[in-house]
Amino acid sequence: MLPPGATIGILGGGQLGRMLGLAAAQLGFKVHIYAPDAESVAAEVTAHHSQAAWDDEPRLAAFAAACDVVTFEFENVPVDTVRFLAGHVAVRPGALGLEIAQDRLAEKRFVVDLGGRTAPFAPVPDRAALDAALAEIGAPAILKTVRMGYDGKGQARIARPQDADRAWETIGGHAAILEGFVAFEHEFSVILVRGIDGEIRFWDSSVNVHEGGILATASLPPPRSILDQQDEARAMMAQIADALDYVGVLTGEFFATDAGPVFNEMAPRVHNSGHWTIEGAVTSQFENHIRAIAGLPLGSAATRALPVVMRNLIGADIAIVPDLLADDRCHVHHYSKTEVREGRKLGHATWAGAAPGASPA
Ligand code: AMP
């Protein structure tokens, strides 16, 4: 158990690190952010900050020496960085989940090996392989880069085989995976926390609505089809967490289909679809992640009151903050990013135990 006053290192300096940092402070810990970027909205609220490259070993070693445990909030931290740090300080969760989640092919194979259900998929290492994959999987399908895709980037839909050239060009000709198009009713996530002793707790699943490939809202209670499939999806995620001997918060994204829950992808970290837990659950995903990696008892993940709605503030949405502040039942989170860009997550708003009042749009 880390004593109060201990220092938690976080790799990555975005809004997830900011909210982890605030939760750590509440529990009496200090936080040290390590990230290469000049702007860090996490470092603004934490005690220590190293702005350095992911492969700067002297800086990494100094960071490890200054921390009692290290975690990450950014899923594209190089695995070598995490392995290097793990030679100097406890890193939780470990590198394995990160390594699998960074590679869409490895991720799908891992889940299938554990008996999970995924979309049909085939590897597409080059353009020629795309034709073979399309012949096997059929259209419609989605072509996704194996690495570095997020928020709908690095993806192209293929409605007919004739779309193959355009799709290959859209994703930049990188090594890819072709997935059969899943006819889903709804999208949902399972967010769990696993302690050092292996105890697992789950938050309730929200229904997640995406716009342009980016999460727009996460709401509870979700529709019946999600409630009916939540237990099976939870069992799948618990199996994954156990197989990885995972410590901390782990997220799985699923499609609710007629055939049951279909695993889409996992994130070895706190997740945007869990931001509602700050006000909507007894213990937030951020606090329980800190508790888990610090070896403290886990807090209850129970939902406090329904309904709950979390809405992302993306790009120009940030201009509605004054309206949201005028809504008595709205909790506003502004990430304090200086640059407003289309598609950039700049904040979020949560209504917990109350439906959104006057339409904020
Ligand atoms: P991803 O980056 O894998 O989370 O994909 C972004 C979004 O694209 C998902 O949230 C879905 O809305 C959609 N999507 C991804 N994969 C599939 C699929 N195999 N079938 C249908 N829709 C998909």
Side-chain angles (χ1 to χ4, degrees):
M1 267 208 236
L2 280 193
T7 298
I8 294 175
I10 300 179
L11 302 171
Q15 66 268 19
L16 301 180
R18 182 181 175 98
M19 290 183 272
L20 282 169
L22 294 171
Q26 186 188 329
L27 293 172
F29 297 117
K30 294 186 173 40
V31 169
H32 188 148
I33 297 293
Y34 188 107
D37 323 73
E39 183 187 66
S40 170
V41 298
E44 283 176 11
V45 303
T46 56
H48 307 287
H49 181 203
S50 298
Q51 186 197 338
W54 294 128
D55 60 357
D56 187 336
E57 293 191 351
R59 294 293 298 277
L60 286 169
F63 170 69
C67 296
D68 297 290
V69 63
V70 168
T71 190
F72 43 87
E73 62 97 72
F74 175 58
E75 135 183 15
N76 286 318
V77 175
V79 171
D80 285 348
T81 301
V82 172
R83 292 209 199 284
F84 176 84
L85 287 169
H88 295 73
V89 64
V91 181
R92 299 184 186 125
L96 184 57
L98 188 70
E99 189 170 22
I100 293 172
Q102 285 178 358
D103 181 325
R104 288 188 189 273
L105 262 175
E107 184 180 46
K108 289 245 172 16
R109 287 175 174 148
F110 178 70
V111 169
V112 168
D113 286 348
L114 289 174
R117 189 187 293 109
T118 67
F121 65 92
V124 180
D126 50 39
R127 174 65 188 83
L130 177 54
D131 292 331
L134 266 170
E136 182 190 334
I137 307 282
I142 302 193
L143 186 65
K144 301 180 181 177
T145 55
V146 166
R147 295 184 163 275
M148 301 299 273
Y150 67 97
D151 284 349
K153 296 191 178 74
Q155 296 192 12
R157 296 197 175 194
I158 299 182
R160 303 158 304 153
Q162 300 90 292
D163 298 341
D165 280 330
R166 184 198 44 80
W168 182 248
E169 219 172 277
T170 302
I171 66 154
H174 298 291
I177 175 174
L178 186 73
E179 293 181 19
F181 194 84
V182 177
F184 60 81
E185 258 184 84
H186 298 287
E187 293 187 70
F188 69 103
S189 42
V190 170
I191 307 180
L192 65 78
V193 61
R194 187 171 182 276
I196 288 176
D197 60 358
E199 182 192 359
I200 291 178
R201 295 188 178 191
F202 297 96
W203 284 271
D204 287 329
S205 287
S206 57
V207 56
N208 302 335
V209 175
H210 295 82
E211 287 169 11
I214 306 177
L215 183 70
T217 60
S219 314
L220 297 96
R224 184 84 246 162
S225 62
I226 291 175
L227 292 174
D228 289 345
Q229 299 187 14
Q230 181 176 264
D231 284 351
E232 192 180 336
R234 284 181 172 184
M236 182 77 256
M237 291 311 299
Q239 238 185 311
I240 293 173
D242 287 341
L244 297 171
D245 197 16
Y246 196 90
V247 178
V249 169
L250 175 68
T251 305
E253 292 187 70
F254 289 85
F255 302 124
T257 76
D258 289 346
V262 172
F263 172 93
N264 179 34
E265 63 178 357
M266 66 179 181
R269 54 167 172 77
V270 289
H271 195 260
N272 193 173
S273 63
H275 290 0
W276 66 269
T277 62
I278 296 174
E279 293 90 7
V282 176
T283 312
S284 77
Q285 60 168 349
F286 302 101
E287 180 175 341
N288 258 345
H289 184 74
I290 297 296
R291 286 184 184 225
I293 65 168
L296 304 180
L298 302 179
S300 164
T303 303
R304 284 171 188 269
L306 294 169
V308 178
V309 175
M310 187 291 303
R311 175 184 169 179
N312 268 336
L313 302 176
I314 297 169
D317 290 348
I318 200 71
I320 68 168
V321 161
D323 299 328
L324 295 172
L325 289 170
D327 180 339
D328 282 343
R329 293 172 307 177
C330 180
H331 299 274
V332 177
H333 295 256
H334 194 300
Y335 305 151
S336 103
K337 294 180 183 175
T338 45
E339 196 192 337
V340 177
R341 254 188 283 121
E342 193 189 340
R344 194 173 195 210
K345 291 172 179 172
L346 301 175
H348 73 267
T350 303
W351 293 260
S359 169

